[in-house]
């Protein structure tokens, strides 16, 4: 990483925050549609329950922070059907119905095991 902290205001603090959340050790990143402004794919409360479960389980399993999995709550992933919807990168695997049972399978099989959960998959499209 080039440059000094004085290059841009707040850049040093942002770099420290990036280290704290484990960006350097990230192998996968999961985004979950949650707490939507205008719920379309599922009930807003249902998405919040899913997010809390995901956050808790990643922490329990030591996958958060330097554990290799980043997580981001997204207001809307624009696939407004069969939610909560999630996407995992770098594979670009888009998942439907991401309530607790499906999220647990995504955690165990995809985030840990590296295998896409085919029966919950909407489609896969890695970015290049």
């Amino acid at each position: 990483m080039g440059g000094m902290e004085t290059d841009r205001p707040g850049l040093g603090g942002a770099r420290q925050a990036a280290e704290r959340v484990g960006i350097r050790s990230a192998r996968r990143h999961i985004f979950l549609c949650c707490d939507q402004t205008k719920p379309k794919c599922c009930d807003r409360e249902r998405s919040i329950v899913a997010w809390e479960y995901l956050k808790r389980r990643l922490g329990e399993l030591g996958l958060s922070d330097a554990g290799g999995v980043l997580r981001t709550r997204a207001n809307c992933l624009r696939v407004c059907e069969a939610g909560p919807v999630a996407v995992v990168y770098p594979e670009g695997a888009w998942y439907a119905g991401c309530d607790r049972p499906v999220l647990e399978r995504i955690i165990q099989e995809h985030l840990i095991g590296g295998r896409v959960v085919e029966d919950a998959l909407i489609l896969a499209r890695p970015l290049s």
Side-chain angles (χ1 to χ4, degrees):
M1 225 180 310
M4 296 173 29
E5 187 174 326
T6 57
D7 289 351
R8 296 182 73 186
L11 190 54
R15 287 180 177 152
Q16 289 174 352
E19 292 295 335
R20 272 194 312 277
V21 299
I23 292 176
R24 278 193 201 275
S25 52
R27 295 181 316 277
R28 293 201 166 76
H29 194 155
I30 182 167
F31 295 81
L32 181 67
C33 188
C34 175
D35 199 10
Q36 312 90 322
T37 305
K38 294 180 182 178
K40 293 181 183 177
C41 71
C42 71
D43 178 70
R44 181 178 171 270
E45 186 58 36
R46 183 174 159 206
S47 72
I48 292 169
V49 168
W51 172 255
E52 292 301 322
Y53 180 79
L54 176 66
K55 187 168 70 167
R56 181 176 54 80
R57 285 297 288 149
L58 292 178
E60 288 172 353
L61 296 168
L63 296 173
S64 296
D65 304 321
V69 177
L70 300 175
R71 59 177 165 71
T72 299
R73 175 171 56 182
N75 182 279
C76 178
L77 291 172
R78 301 184 65 204
V79 178
C80 300
E81 298 287 334
V85 172
V87 59
V88 175
Y89 287 108
E91 296 83 3
W94 290 74
Y95 292 109
C98 295
D99 294 303
R100 291 176 187 185
V102 171
L103 283 172
E104 188 62 33
R105 290 193 58 212
I106 292 168
I107 292 166
Q108 296 297 327
E109 297 174 32
H110 191 160
L111 299 179
I112 295 173
R115 295 175 312 278
V116 171
V117 180
E118 296 289 339
D119 60 325
L121 188 68
I122 298 169
L123 62 86
R125 175 66 171 108
L127 299 180
S128 56

